[in-house]
Amino acid sequence: MTVRILRAADLSPAPWKNGGGLTREIATGPEGAGADAFDWRVSLADVTADGPFSAFPGVDRILTVVEGAGMDLVVGGEHHIVDEPLWPHAFPGDLPTEGFLLGGPVVNLNVMYRRARTRAETAVVCGTVRLLPPEGGAVLAVSLDDGAELEGGGGGGVRLDRYDAVLAAGEESPGVLRTMGQAVLITLSGG
C-alpha cells in the first residue's frame, strides 16, 4: 500500500499545453510523466477567459466545476452547458473544444486519462467514504473544503484542507475519508 498526501500549497501553477491559461497538477500516473506520456492526470485549472482547450489525442476528460458559475463547452461543434456545480462532465479530449464562461472565472478539476490504457471514474462525495483502490489501480480523493480527515489504515488522523488530496495505490484501503463538506473521488484502473 502506498499512500501520499498531496498539499494544495505545494502545487505550482504551470501554463496549459496550448498556453491559454494556468493549471496546478495534483498527480499523474506514472508519477512525473509529461503531457504526452501520462496514463492519467488530475489537475486544477484556473479559467479566466473564453478560449480553446488543449487537444490531447487518445485522451478522455472529465471536467468538474469546483468554483464559479460554469461554462458552455463546445465539444466537436456540440454545446454542453456545464452550469451544475460539482457535476462531473465527460468528453473526448481529442475533439476540438472551446469553453465560454457563463458568469466569470471558474476553477475546474480535470481528470484526463488515456482511453487505451486507463479508465477513470469521478464522483463527488459528502460525509464519510472508505478509500478503496481497484486491483492494480489507484484512488485519489481531493477535498473541496477545509477540515476533511483521513482516518485509519496507513494515514490515520491526517487533516486535509481545501484542494489537498490523498493518493492511494495497493491492495488495502488507506482508511476512511471524513469530509466536513465535499470531496471529489477519482478511481483509476487499467484499461
Side-chain angles (χ1 to χ4, degrees):
M1 168 61 61
T2 303
V3 177
R4 291 180 41 218
I5 304 300
L6 308 164
R7 299 290 180 191
D10 298 333
L11 304 179
S12 300
W16 293 350
K17 183 178 168 184
N18 70 6
L22 294 176
T23 189
R24 291 164 283 156
E25 185 176 286
I26 297 170
T28 58
E31 185 177 350
D36 295 324
F38 65 80
D39 288 344
W40 58 265
R41 177 178 169 207
V42 178
S43 62
L44 290 163
D46 299 304
V47 184
T48 58
D50 299 342
F53 277 44
S54 301
F56 286 90
V59 171
D60 284 331
R61 298 177 73 153
I62 304 170
L63 178 147
T64 306
V65 176
V66 294
E67 287 183 45
M71 304 181 76
D72 175 7
L73 286 182
V74 182
V75 181
E78 184 177 312
H79 288 267
H80 301 263
I81 302 298
V82 183
D83 62 351
E84 182 82 26
L86 308 178
W87 191 267
H89 182 79
F91 63 99
D94 39 17
L95 290 180
T97 301
E98 289 189 86
F100 299 93
L101 298 170
L102 297 178
V106 298
V107 176
N108 294 326
L109 181 80
N110 284 303
V111 177
M112 294 187 278
Y113 59 98
R114 262 180 233 291
R115 67 180 70 98
R117 299 195 298 247
T118 306
R119 285 194 181 359
E121 296 176 9
T122 300
V124 176
V125 297
C126 182
T128 301
V129 63
R130 180 166 299 285
L131 302 180
L132 296 169
E135 185 176 331
V139 64
L140 177 71
V142 180
S143 179
L144 297 180
D145 303 285
D146 289 340
E149 190 169 313
L150 178 64
E151 299 177 351
V158 176
R159 179 185 164 97
L160 300 175
D161 288 325
R162 188 173 200 187
Y163 301 141
D164 286 348
V166 58
L167 174 63
E171 300 196 11
E172 297 176 29
S173 171
V176 170
L177 180 68
R178 296 188 192 284
T179 67
M180 297 302 290
Q182 295 170 310
V184 178
L185 185 67
I186 303 132
T187 305
L188 302 146
S189 57

